Amino acid sequence: MPITPEQESLLTLCAVRHNDSLLDWSLLARACQTTAGLDALLGGEVPEDSAVAMRCLPILRGALTVGLDDARARARHEIEAAESAGAELVTVLDRHYPDNLRLVPNLPPFLFHRGPLLPRDARSVAVVGTRNASADGLKRAARMARGLVDNDVAVFSGLAKGVDAAAHQATLDAGGRTVAVMGTGIAAPIYPAENRPLARRILDADGALVSQFWPSSPPARWTFPRRNVVTSGATLGSIVIEASSTSGAKMQARIAAEHGKQVFLLRSLAAVQPWAQAMLQEGRAVEVGELDDVLRRLATPERIQQASEQRIQLALAVQ
């Protein structure tokens, strides 16, 4: 996994710790869309006018004053862990960073992945839901995944028990493309352990495992909500199959709406969950009863790539 000096510099900034404070990773991702933005940060300037930028500026300058040796050592350690796991790196500096994800404001600065990330992933949908799914919920997840495969749509999910696993498995059974967004580092043991065979099957089918965390990161309470940002951001929309008011899938629906993505709530879900009914009434989600309700609202890959290129050009113009 050859790493460019620019990629290493970006990861070094992600590893900065000064007076027990860290730089905001989403700020770094927004600022480092170009090498000019990266150079500005390495020079002690934050090319963004925001409250987050003002908070991070003294952290950045303090770290630069004492030197970045510790941060660089941490970055290199994590790169070595990823290499040992057979993972690759993509950052916001790279043109092949996922187009959909580049368009959200809280994008991660980097992704480590096993298995390829493909241009066709731009036409993708997340199929998500509760870990404690009913038998009917599992069947609905599988049916939706198969329909997406039949229409050449990549299926993303979170490699969790329940709906996520059903969506991944049905996609593979139908010969489709699936990407698992992990709540752990790419070099950490697969979590949950019962889905390790599923992860291997995804890789054997030329799918991908993706992580926005340091490669050695274990599972933690905070990593799974953060994982929802990528599952939403990397796709055109999220289909919520079954989810209670405390489910992470409900959080994904909220995040997807904040991202301006399509939020699809199954009719069976909307019939029983007040939070789903509220999203529909507020116009933040669409009720779906069949696959065509989803397909006709998906943007084309060409439109997505154009928007991604415009974001890069905007970053160049600002700098």
Side-chain angles (χ1 to χ4, degrees):
M1 182 180 67
I3 302 295
T4 68
E6 292 80 10
Q7 288 176 323
E8 183 177 319
S9 292
L10 175 55
L11 266 63
T12 296
L13 289 173
C14 292
V16 159
R17 180 182 291 273
H18 184 67
N19 292 336
D20 290 327
S21 296
L22 304 173
L23 295 172
D24 184 273
W25 280 20
S26 292
L27 170 68
L28 294 177
R30 293 191 299 271
C32 292
Q33 301 279 326
T34 66
T35 54
L38 174 64
D39 290 342
L41 287 165
L42 293 172
E45 300 296 332
V46 179
E48 179 177 299
D49 183 14
S50 66
V52 173
M54 290 181 64
R55 180 180 63 80
C56 287
L57 188 58
I59 301 172
L60 174 65
R61 290 179 175 173
L64 291 171
T65 298
V66 299
L68 299 179
D69 290 347
D70 289 346
R72 187 171 293 107
R74 169 70 190 279
R76 288 176 176 170
H77 170 76
E78 296 292 351
I79 290 169
E80 290 171 2
E83 289 175 340
S84 297
E88 298 181 62
L89 169 69
V90 63
T91 77
V92 291
L93 290 161
D94 306 314
R95 289 288 176 154
H96 59 289
Y97 186 88
D99 287 327
N100 287 321
L101 192 55
R102 194 182 291 278
L103 299 176
V104 303
N106 52 349
L107 72 171
F110 61 80
L111 297 171
F112 285 96
H113 59 98
R114 296 173 61 194
L117 298 182
L118 303 176
R120 64 169 290 195
D121 294 339
R123 183 169 166 81
S124 57
V125 170
V127 179
V128 297
T130 181
R131 291 170 171 80
N132 302 310
S134 67
D136 284 343
L138 297 177
K139 290 178 183 176
R140 292 182 182 114
R143 185 165 58 248
M144 187 63 71
R146 288 192 296 269
L148 292 168
V149 171
D150 289 343
N151 287 273
D152 200 29
V153 178
V155 175
F156 280 55
S157 200
L159 200 62
K161 296 188 293 184
V163 167
D164 290 15
H168 288 306
Q169 290 166 350
T171 301
L172 294 169
D173 290 344
R177 162 87 175 161
T178 192
V179 176
V181 183
M182 301 168 60
T184 64
I186 200 73
I190 297 295
Y191 182 88
E194 66 192 69
N195 279 346
R196 289 174 187 172
L198 175 58
R200 171 46 57 191
R201 190 180 173 204
I202 289 171
L203 293 176
D204 288 345
D206 290 327
L209 309 180
V210 176
S211 172
Q212 71 196 90
F213 306 109
W214 289 120
S216 63
S217 296
R221 182 177 293 274
W222 64 271
T223 60
F224 294 99
R226 190 75 58 84
R227 181 262 311 273
N228 291 338
V229 172
V230 170
T231 314
S232 164
T235 57
L236 295 174
S238 295
I239 304 173
V240 185
I241 303 294
E242 198 172 75
S244 70
S245 61
T246 59
S247 171
K250 175 194 172 185
M251 180 183 294
Q252 167 124 357
R254 175 182 60 79
I255 291 171
E258 292 171 354
H259 283 164
K261 306 282 186 172
Q262 296 284 351
V263 180
F264 303 106
L265 306 180
L266 287 200
R267 187 166 298 147
S268 54
L269 169 69
V272 297
Q273 287 295 333
W275 71 263
Q277 295 163 11
M279 286 196 74
L280 293 169
Q281 291 167 2
E282 294 161 3
R284 296 189 296 132
V286 175
E287 183 178 303
V288 296
E290 56 188 27
L291 182 64
D292 284 346
D293 296 332
V294 174
L295 295 175
R296 65 171 174 263
R297 290 178 170 88
L298 298 185
T300 65
E302 293 77 16
R303 183 177 176 184
I304 300 159
Q305 185 177 17
Q306 182 182 32
S308 177
E309 290 292 335
Q310 289 173 346
R311 178 61 57 89
I312 296 172
Q313 293 304 317
L314 178 61
L316 284 168
V318 170
Q319 294 157 7

